[in-house]
Amino acid sequence: MARVFNFSAGPAMMPLPVLEEIQAELIDYKGSGMSVMEMSHRSKVYQQIIDEAEADIRELMGIPDNYKVLFVQGGATLEFAMIPMNLRKNGVFDYIVTGTWSKKAASEAKKYGKVNVIATSEDRNYSYVPDVSDLPIDDDADYVYICENETIHGTTYKELPNTKGKILVADQSSMFLSKPVDVSKYGIIYGGVQKNVGPAGLAIVIIREDLINPELDKSVPTYCSFATHSENGSMYNTPNCWAIYCCGKVFKYLKKLGGLEAMNKINQEKAAILYDFLDNSKMFKGTVDKEYRSLMNVPFVTGDADTDAAVVAATKAAGFDNLKGHRSVGGLRASIYNAMPKEGVQALVDFLKKYEEEHK
Ligand SMILES: *Cc1c(COP(=O)(O)O)cnc(C)c1O
């Protein structure tokens, strides 16, 4: 077995002990005589899997009782549409655009109403988060939307926006379960799970109960109504049984590790190893303003595209995979999600140090 240190932005690494547990249960899940992949979602044994997954994520995140946890297919991208469809009252939506993902979400919302971009960091290629303490929130805004960790540009919020009483909606895909969050400050938190949790094709939506509207316009597809998922325990149709099962394993793994406080501490230490190197390097430099640097996605450049490409090739040859930066930022990007071990980040830094030494 040869596992590489995989710095992919997503789908991304999963914890090895979780993969091993899944492997051990693959053919015969706990004496059921079948794989979770082959199991009826209406069976008792599967019901227990999804119930435990929900209970465990509730415990991990401290989700209050007046919030529902929904397992929805279609990834984070379907949520870009489901959110305006479901929360539309006045048809006015306020978006803070800090990178590719919030921009995409804003552009999707335009199909369902009027979108105000109330703040953006586009002027400096999304390398920071704008001041969000006193924004021109529309009186009619149905919600204020953020992408709390921009996966491609590598920024994260230090403080949540002052929404002046409006509902806050956050895409947390690339920071999901990476640190404790106060769920009660949000109307909706959602994330595609393939960055920080499990296999692709599933979004977890944590939604305050009063935002679930069963009386949506008849033109809204049944699957796209939060009420459909809420009223049917995320099983209106066949859910992504496999991804829910794998995520449940990761929730148990995180609980055993000490929960999100413990995870956050490890993530801080990991990111510090890489950022300290970048801050002291003469060859490599981070692209994001210090205050807003993500603990999960770390873009960096040499300033020369050919050198960037040479470094990417060298890292790959040395067993570090997926370090090529997204084309909109260029350079390199190390995604160091929950499952990336500290040794992986340390090994990468050691390699880059040596590379710099040898290419002065
Ligand atoms: C990856 C990502 C998405 C898109 O996720 P899909 O599951 O591919 O739809 C949306 N938002 C953020 C922040 C992401 O990182």
Side-chain angles (χ1 to χ4, degrees):
M1 187 185 74
R3 283 181 57 84
V4 296
F5 289 123
N6 177 7
F7 291 88
S8 169
M13 282 182 89
M14 288 177 60
L16 185 57
V18 168
L19 292 176
E20 286 168 342
E21 223 179 279
I22 291 168
Q23 182 182 43
E25 292 176 349
L26 187 70
I27 292 174
D28 176 7
Y29 177 78
K30 294 191 175 164
S32 65
M34 59 182 89
S35 170
V36 175
M37 278 186 264
E38 304 168 302
M39 202 173 266
S40 166
H41 58 296
R42 307 284 176 207
S43 64
K44 235 189 210 154
V45 54
Y46 191 77
Q47 189 64 50
Q48 190 180 352
I49 291 174
I50 192 169
D51 287 348
E52 273 185 35
E54 178 175 342
D56 286 336
I57 192 177
R58 282 188 172 278
E59 186 182 330
L60 273 173
M61 291 182 72
I63 299 173
D65 288 344
N66 62 326
Y67 284 73
K68 293 278 187 193
V69 176
L70 311 176
F71 299 99
V72 185
Q73 302 191 57
T77 299
L78 186 60
E79 296 311 313
F80 294 171
M82 279 178 73
I83 285 157
M85 277 182 195
N86 281 265
L87 299 192
R88 179 165 66 179
K89 284 201 176 104
N90 302 322
V92 178
F93 317 127
D94 283 358
Y95 278 72
I96 301 175
V97 174
T98 51
T100 302
W101 293 114
S102 43
K103 193 175 178 182
K104 274 198 169 166
S107 133
E108 184 73 2
K110 282 182 195 152
K111 294 188 172 183
Y112 307 99
K114 176 172 172 256
V115 168
N116 302 312
V117 175
I118 53 170
T120 177
S121 52
E122 193 172 12
D123 60 333
R124 283 200 284 123
N125 197 27
Y126 304 116
S127 57
Y128 67 102
V129 173
D131 181 1
V132 291
S133 58
D134 185 17
L135 296 165
I137 311 270
D138 198 307
D139 283 341
D140 288 335
D142 291 325
Y143 59 86
V144 175
Y145 182 100
I146 61 171
C147 174
E148 204 169 333
N149 186 87
E150 282 281 1
T151 321
I152 290 173
H153 294 87
T155 59
T156 199
Y157 281 72
K158 262 191 337 180
E159 270 158 39
L160 293 176
N162 173 3
T163 64
K164 303 180 182 172
K166 302 293 184 189
I167 297 156
L168 179 63
V169 175
D171 175 358
Q172 290 195 347
S173 297
S174 49
M175 57 174 280
F176 211 73
L177 302 177
S178 67
K179 64 171 197 180
V181 295
D182 181 352
V183 176
S184 69
K185 291 189 169 147
Y186 303 79
I188 296 178
I189 294 174
Y190 77 92
V193 301
Q194 75 275 25
K195 311 292 160 68
N196 232 335
V197 196
L202 173 69
I204 297 179
V205 179
I206 299 156
I207 178 170
R208 217 175 61 206
E209 256 164 9
D210 60 290
L211 303 178
I212 297 172
N213 175 12
E215 310 290 327
L216 289 183
D217 189 302
K218 294 273 180 290
S219 67
V220 171
T222 309
Y223 192 85
C224 290
S225 154
F226 287 131
T228 301
H229 299 279
S230 170
E231 286 162 9
N232 293 282
S234 298
M235 290 217 218
Y236 172 74
N237 67 338
T238 319
N240 189 334
C241 301
W242 179 252
I244 294 167
Y245 158 73
C246 295
C247 288
K249 290 279 181 210
V250 174
F251 302 157
K252 289 198 190 298
Y253 171 82
L254 288 172
K255 273 173 59 179
K256 224 157 87 190
L257 200 78
L260 301 189
E261 294 280 358
M263 193 66 251
N264 185 36
K265 189 163 168 283
I266 297 169
N267 286 331
Q268 304 244 14
E269 289 166 6
K270 260 169 20 191
I273 295 171
L274 186 47
Y275 283 125
D276 285 350
F277 164 70
L278 294 173
D279 290 343
N280 291 300
S281 166
K282 295 210 161 50
M283 183 175 205
F284 301 101
K285 134 173 170 309
T287 59
V288 173
D289 291 6
K290 265 189 187 174
E291 291 172 83
Y292 305 108
R293 301 197 288 207
S294 166
L295 293 186
M296 301 282 104
N297 310 99
V298 183
F300 55 102
V301 295
T302 64
D304 173 71
D306 291 338
T307 310
D308 289 341
V311 179
V312 171
T315 53
K316 186 158 173 77
F320 306 99
D321 220 342
N322 288 310
L323 279 158
K324 191 176 185 311
H326 190 272
R327 62 188 180 282
S328 57
V329 182
L332 295 90
R333 172 177 48 164
S335 292
I336 50 174
Y337 298 122
N338 285 356
M340 170 61 68
K342 205 166 163 180
E343 303 79 66
V345 180
Q346 189 60 58
L348 175 66
V349 164
D350 292 345
F351 180 86
L352 293 173
K353 254 186 201 154
K354 190 155 156 277
Y355 190 94
E356 181 170 352
E357 222 20 69
E358 290 169 357
H359 293 81
K360 265 190 194 159

